[in-house]
Amino acid sequence: MTLRIIIALTTFFISSLSIQASQIVFTDNFNSGDLSHWNVLGGQWGVQDGTLHQSASSSYYTATPGQVIALNGEYSDDFIFRTALGAQDIRVGWSAVGIAFNIQDASNFYSMHFFPGWTGGAFRFTRFIDGQISYVTTSDANIGFTPATGSSYSMQVQGQGNEFTASIWDNSDFESLPVFEQSYTDDTFSGGTAGLWSQEGKGYFDNVGADFLPSSTAPVPEPATAMLLGLALVGFAVRKRIGN
């Protein structure tokens, strides 16, 4: 009977794990102030009160394509990268925040970003090739609300081959359905790493998550996984006791 209960519980937890939507294996809430997992490619980045801030300003159309900090990791193809984000002290229509991905180096990468203060957010998918901007999308997308300066939102980019899906939430968590979601296709860059992107204003970021690990970081088992391992050990112990 005891073994049947353990088997039933184990089956339940396996089923629960299989339906979890998140595949996030790395998170950073910046509470420790440690940026050893990150590589600054442009801008002035620092942690203030448990939030990562970018404080430099530069023109949107320069050979230094925005302020980028990249995760010290690498993926070859598919990936998920997410963050809470916002901006303050902005120039409306010029200041933007978002996610950089398929980063090859400081001058070659994709960026998906929106413009706080601008009606509808003016979401854009851009390429930076040798530091020069190139638009993947021919027009801005309306994300369904106007992001306010000083407020926090959530953004995720998921890549599957040459298809990239952007999701945006009008709050700082990922529990609800996104208010904006759109997919794009482009073949310019393949693989690389992902990071955070800020332009013409003081962007801030928190609660980063990724489904790939930075260098020298071991994955931490999720609570459900740890419980599964515990149940397995209990099962072995009970089985051994019954056998004796």
Side-chain angles (χ1 to χ4, degrees):
M1 177 64 71
T2 305
L3 281 175
R4 289 179 181 177
I5 293 173
I6 292 172
I7 291 171
L9 286 172
T10 302
T11 302
F12 169 78
F13 282 107
I14 289 175
S15 299
S16 299
L17 284 172
S18 67
I19 62 174
Q20 289 180 357
S22 175
Q23 300 173 348
I24 301 302
V25 296
F26 171 81
T27 60
D28 196 345
N29 60 15
F30 303 107
N31 287 343
S32 68
D34 179 18
L35 293 180
S36 61
H37 296 312
W38 298 89
N39 181 26
V40 175
L41 302 180
Q44 298 173 4
W45 297 83
V47 177
Q48 303 173 22
D49 301 322
T51 303
L52 181 63
H53 290 258
Q54 196 295 123
S55 57
S57 296
S58 69
S59 173
Y60 191 67
Y61 298 97
T62 67
T64 303
Q67 292 81 36
V68 179
I69 187 168
L71 194 59
N72 285 330
E74 187 175 5
Y75 51 83
S76 59
D77 199 358
D78 299 350
F79 71 94
I80 298 173
F81 190 88
R82 57 171 55 171
T83 184
L85 73 174
Q88 56 192 9
D89 298 335
I90 67 167
R91 292 176 61 199
V92 175
W94 293 89
S95 301
V97 288
I99 291 174
F101 56 98
N102 283 30
I103 299 171
Q104 313 298 303
D105 54 43
S107 298
N108 294 275
F109 59 88
Y110 291 121
S111 171
M112 287 186 175
H113 51 271
F114 61 87
F115 293 76
W118 191 266
T119 302
F123 178 85
R124 292 179 183 175
F125 179 17
T126 59
R127 293 173 294 240
F128 290 95
I129 303 175
D130 295 330
Q132 301 300 315
I133 192 169
S134 170
Y135 294 98
V136 178
T137 49
T138 56
S139 61
D140 298 338
N142 189 314
I143 63 175
F145 65 98
T146 299
T149 61
S151 295
S152 293
Y153 305 97
S154 298
M155 183 175 179
Q156 174 178 287
V157 175
Q158 180 171 3
Q160 294 181 302
N162 66 348
E163 183 174 302
F164 308 99
T165 300
S167 305
I168 297 177
W169 290 257
D170 58 357
N171 51 51
S172 57
D173 64 66
F174 300 91
E175 299 303 319
S176 57
L177 292 174
V179 297
F180 171 85
E181 192 164 77
Q182 197 156 316
S183 295
Y184 306 87
T185 301
D186 191 77
D187 294 309
T188 306
F189 304 121
S190 178
T193 188
L196 308 169
W197 186 90
S198 176
Q199 182 67 58
E200 283 276 352
K202 297 181 178 179
Y204 52 86
F205 304 83
D206 204 357
N207 298 323
V208 170
D211 70 342
F212 61 97
L213 292 171
S215 303
S216 72
T217 300
V220 178
E222 296 182 8
T225 304
M227 189 172 293
L228 248 179
L229 293 173
L231 284 172
L233 291 174
V234 171
F236 284 125
V238 172
R239 184 174 180 180
K240 182 176 180 181
R241 182 176 179 183
I242 292 174
N244 292 335

